[in-house]
Structure formats: C-alpha cells, structure tokens
Amino acid sequence: MKMITAIKKFAASVAVVMMALVYTGCTNLDESPYTFIDPNMFYKTEGDINAALNNAYRTFRNMATSSRNYVAPLEILTDQGEANYRKETQNHYRNTWSDMENINNTFSDLWNKGYATINNANIVLGRVDAIDMDEKKKEWVKGQALFLRAYVYYHLVRIYGGCPMPLTYTDGLEGLKVPREEAATVWAQIFQDLKDAAAKLPVRGTAGYDVWRVSSGACYALLGEAYLYKATISSEDNFGANKEELQLSKDYSEMVIKQNVYSLMPDYNDNWYWFNQNAKNNQESVFELQFFNGDGGNSGMAIDFGPYGGMKKDGNIVAGAYYCRYGVSTDHYNTYDKNDDRLKTFLTQFTDKKDVEWIFDFDEDGTVGGEYWKRVDNGEAMDIEGRGYACSTLFNLKYFDPWADVSLYNSLPAPNYPLLRYSEVLLNYAEAANLLKAGDGLDELNAVHTRAGLTALPAMDQKTMDEAILQERSWEFVGECKAYYDQLRKGVLGERAEKAAYRNYSIYKKNIEMQPGTANSRLKVFCCYPMTHKPTKSWLWKIPSGDMSSNSLLEQNPENVSAPLTYSWN
C-alpha cells in the first residue's frame, strides 16, 4: 500500500480511530471511504482522543514488529541471524546481500505502516487542544504522540535517509504529495519531538499514569540512543565522531539512570515471557510494545522465530503455529562464553507436540558439514513441510508464549516486544563516555556483563573497550532489531555479513543431502544468491516502488557503492 493511500485511508475513516481495528490491508485511491462520519463531529471527548492515541500505539506496534518484513530480515542481514529455509518469497530471505538495489527488495512495510502511524500521531496532536479535559492529561497525550512520531522518523531516517516529514494530519485528499526533507532536517525534528515529549510526560510509576505508556525516561533513553547513532554513523572513524552529539547522548542516558526508577533484572532470562510469566513491563523495561492473547492483540514474532511443528514445555503443548523462518546463527552462538546466562535464551533441544525429541547438531567434529536439527532417536534431519529442507538454525526463546491456553489461543502468542531496555541505556552511556574519554563508562559496561554471570572486565584502552561494548550489545540484544543498526554505524556490517554468508555458502556447496537423490535436500540451504553488495556506513535502502509511482515529488536514493568483496562467489 502506498504512503498516500495509507494517509487517505486514515483521513477518511473515523471508524479506524474508534475501533482501532479497521487498518488491515491495502487499498487504492478509488476506494470508497469506510464511513461518512464527519471527523469534526467525533473528536469531542477525552475518550475520543484516547481512542485516537491508542490507534497510534497500535499502528506503531504493527510497524515495529513486522517480523517477516522488518525485524527478522534485518537480523539475517548480519552475522547474528540466518534464514532457515527457502519459502515463497525470495526477498524475505536475503542474508547474503544479493540484488539489494532492486526497488522491490526494500522495507515497504516499514514505510507504509510508519506513515500510517505518523498520520495517527498528527491527528492526536492536531485535535487534542479542542478537547475539554484535564490539562495535565492533555499534556500527557501530546507527549506520547510526539514520542511515537519521533520514533517512526528515527526508523525511517536510518533506513532511507531523508524522507517526507508531514507534521500535520491530512484533512481530505489535498496536499498528500510531500517531497523528501534532508536527513539533517529529519534528525532535528526527531530530537525536538523527543525533547518536547519529555517535558510533557511524567516519570514512570507516577500515580494515575499506566506503567506501559511512554514516560519521560523513554524519551531520554531514545534521545541517548539517537544521538549516539547519529554521531557514529556520520563519521567514518568512530573515534572522530561528533563530540557534541556524543556528550548529548551521554547526558540523556545519564538522565535515565538518575531517575532511579529502572534497574537490571537480577536474572537476564527473567526479561522474557518464556521464563517469567511476570516479565512484561518489569523494572528493566523502559518502553515495550504490548500484546495479549486474542485477535488483534497477538504477536507474530513467535510464528516466524519458533520451531516448526510446535513444541512442549514442562509436558504441556506451547500455543502457536510456528514456522521457523528465521533463527540465530551458529556463528553468533559460538561467540558466547559457555558460562554466559544469556545462552539460555537459545533453544538447542526440545520435544515437539508429537513427543518427538529434537537436538541441534553443532557439527563440532566437522564430519557432517552443516549445523541442523535432528531427531534424538534416529538422527534424521528435521524436514520442513516435507520439502526436503533441513531446519538449520537455532531458535530464539524471547518471543515464545508458554502461558496461553492452547485450546483457546492456539495461534495467538502474546509476549511483549522490548524496544528500550535499561541494559541498553547503560551500554549507550558506556559507549558515549568511552568515545569522549578513554576508559570512562567501564562500570556501566560491567553492570551488563556481570549480570550475565561473567567476570568483570578489566580496564582497557579506548579501542578495545569500544569493541567490547559492541560485542556486549550483540550478546545482549540478539533478536531485538539492534544488531543491524549497531554494525552499520560502527562500520563492521559488511565484513561480518560477508564472512558469515560465505561460511554458509561453503557448507551448502558441499551438497550433503538429508534425502539422497531428492532435489533441494541439502542439510544447509543457501536461501539467497551469491552476495553482490557489501554495505558501507553510507548504505541506504530504496524507497518502495509504489510510493515512487504515486508521489511525483519523491526522489529515489542513489545507487549504493559496494565495498570490495573478499571472497570469490563462484
């Protein structure tokens, strides 16, 4: 669906805001509106504006957790993630950076759903002043809408660079074609929105304010992250990054720390629903997206990350129809210290709902030629949907739901999705502090490191500590849509992605079959074509083709220049 179409849809339909359920698919510019209710007759009460705000939260959640089209593809573009098997749409499985300049191989879901969220946030900001309600609550509403708008632009500017930047809602079908703004203008608006939001919002835990809502701490945390990203992505040499932006990053992260309302969970794994039924909105959560077991509220993350054929926990069937389209790479798993508590989030053995036991073969002796899941009883490889494709990735337990009632919610898992955790605030602070003054931030780094059950790191030189922080982030946030952005801004994405992709390609080339004589039955499936683009820090994705054709004011991003490939992909 085109951006213009999405905006028109939301402008035309008050029912969308009232029910928060109408936005479900694509449409076209000739489609009749869903309702003829005059919007000016709707936004009259506090309940009306809260419904509009909830709709902004909902569309933002749809954007940020578009697992098959955003989160998982970003993970598998790094060395941390891996596509599990070839399925219907090739460009969803692009872990080798092939055909990346194709205008159809872009993150259209991010663009479409992002602009739907921006328009919803602008509706709230444009309508709330006319509502008769408590002024403090009115400021809270504005602050939340500003944060959501800023967060969308933060996603968009990192993927596309400069982008259209509407700051008012659409009223009718006029003025829908909007030109791109320079990236610097978008960044300035992000920072301003977040600062304005922080001034309007309470500290988390304030009486009368829901703990799951955006708080001032979330605004400061995102400011700390955004200033750090901009400083490092803008400099080829991380140690020459903009000092003013680094100082702002450090200062805003410190504001979160000084609020004294957040702390690390004593056990890392208690952050996740699989291990802890009370994991949602815990003391480490700065901002997370809310899900529930029911239509319209369930999370699709487990479906794409979970094991095919279902599984059991403690003898009980786990709800959810899982398809294991993506997983954690063996390369990443092997970087952990064996005493690291975070290893527990990776599933290496399980019993499925038919009581078949499965174990992941790490190929530690090098005799088989590829990592894959096999039956414990007879050693047979897991065959995906009877197609001869082995299941060859580890699973990430962060998004599995063992608590849902299987008989009622078999395909509706509900783990929340974390966007900002306190551990990231500490690591953001540590990175900015060290880049400003060698060795500063070690205590914050060690707080995260030792929480995982590891021995505290000693004092290091600036470069070694910078590398240690990046490594800590990779261990801490796997599957949380952080690795791609971290590796891109630090200038290591291309080298790491190519090394990991070539390793898998080499296993694939061995042509070890799980079913001799069966087409496509290799233990390791090479899900994409040979790598053709090796990203540099200046990499930007193409604007979706539908938006280019419907908005004549847009200019497409230029072709990316690939860094030299290290390996021969023949």
Side-chain angles (χ1 to χ4, degrees), residues 387-557:
R387 300 182 182 187
Y389 298 135
C391 187
S392 58
T393 67
L394 293 163
F395 303 123
N396 189 335
L397 287 167
K398 290 181 177 180
Y399 308 115
F400 293 7
D401 184 353
W403 312 107
D405 186 325
V406 176
S407 63
L408 295 177
Y409 305 116
N410 187 50
S411 61
L412 304 176
N416 280 1
Y417 182 74
L419 288 180
L420 297 168
R421 291 197 287 117
Y422 188 61
S423 58
E424 185 177 10
V425 173
L426 294 175
L427 293 177
N428 289 342
Y429 178 93
E431 184 177 340
N434 177 57
L435 290 175
L436 286 166
K437 182 181 178 183
D440 275 9
L442 182 61
D443 288 345
E444 287 72 20
L445 168 59
N446 271 326
V448 178
H449 191 74
T450 58
R451 191 267 295 268
L454 303 174
T455 303
L457 297 168
M460 295 166 273
D461 61 69
Q462 189 178 44
K463 185 176 186 297
T464 303
M465 183 167 165
D466 190 61
E467 292 171 347
I469 293 168
L470 180 61
Q471 182 63 69
E472 199 70 42
R473 293 179 70 90
S474 76
W475 293 329
E476 183 75 12
F477 304 122
V478 59
E480 297 179 53
C481 206
K482 304 286 184 181
Y484 171 87
Y485 293 117
D486 283 341
Q487 293 185 17
L488 182 69
R489 69 183 177 84
K490 301 300 281 187
V492 300
L493 177 60
E495 290 296 331
R496 294 188 181 185
E498 188 185 12
K499 181 178 179 181
Y502 191 77
R503 177 180 176 277
N504 284 353
Y505 183 58
S506 299
I507 295 173
Y508 169 82
K509 291 283 282 186
K510 291 181 180 179
N511 198 26
I512 299 172
E513 297 179 335
M514 57 185 282
Q515 297 175 15
T518 302
N520 301 319
S521 67
R522 289 178 168 105
L523 287 173
K524 199 76 163 181
V525 175
F526 191 62
C527 293
C528 290
Y529 300 104
M531 189 171 184
T532 58
H533 291 85
K534 187 173 179 178
T536 65
K537 292 181 76 166
S538 61
W539 180 273
L540 292 175
W541 293 84
K542 292 292 187 286
I543 294 173
S545 57
D547 288 276
M548 290 299 301
S549 62
S550 65
N551 185 354
S552 58
L553 299 182
L554 286 179
E555 293 183 14
Q556 186 57 273
N557 281 324

Side-chain angles (χ1 to χ4, degrees), residues 259-277:
Q259 283 191 334
N260 292 318
V261 296
Y262 307 100
S263 59
L264 297 176
M265 292 289 285
D267 185 341
Y268 173 82
N269 297 292
D270 271 345
N271 282 298
W272 313 110
Y273 207 47
W274 177 266
F275 303 98
N276 177 16
Q277 194 169 4

Side-chain angles (χ1 to χ4, degrees), residues 215-246:
S215 65
S216 60
C219 298
Y220 296 145
L222 188 53
L223 278 163
E225 178 187 325
Y227 272 118
L228 182 62
Y229 187 92
K230 186 172 184 296
T232 50
I233 195 69
S234 302
S235 173
E236 283 302 313
D237 177 9
N238 292 306
F239 304 103
N242 185 287
K243 301 302 182 187
E244 181 180 354
E245 291 172 342
L246 289 175

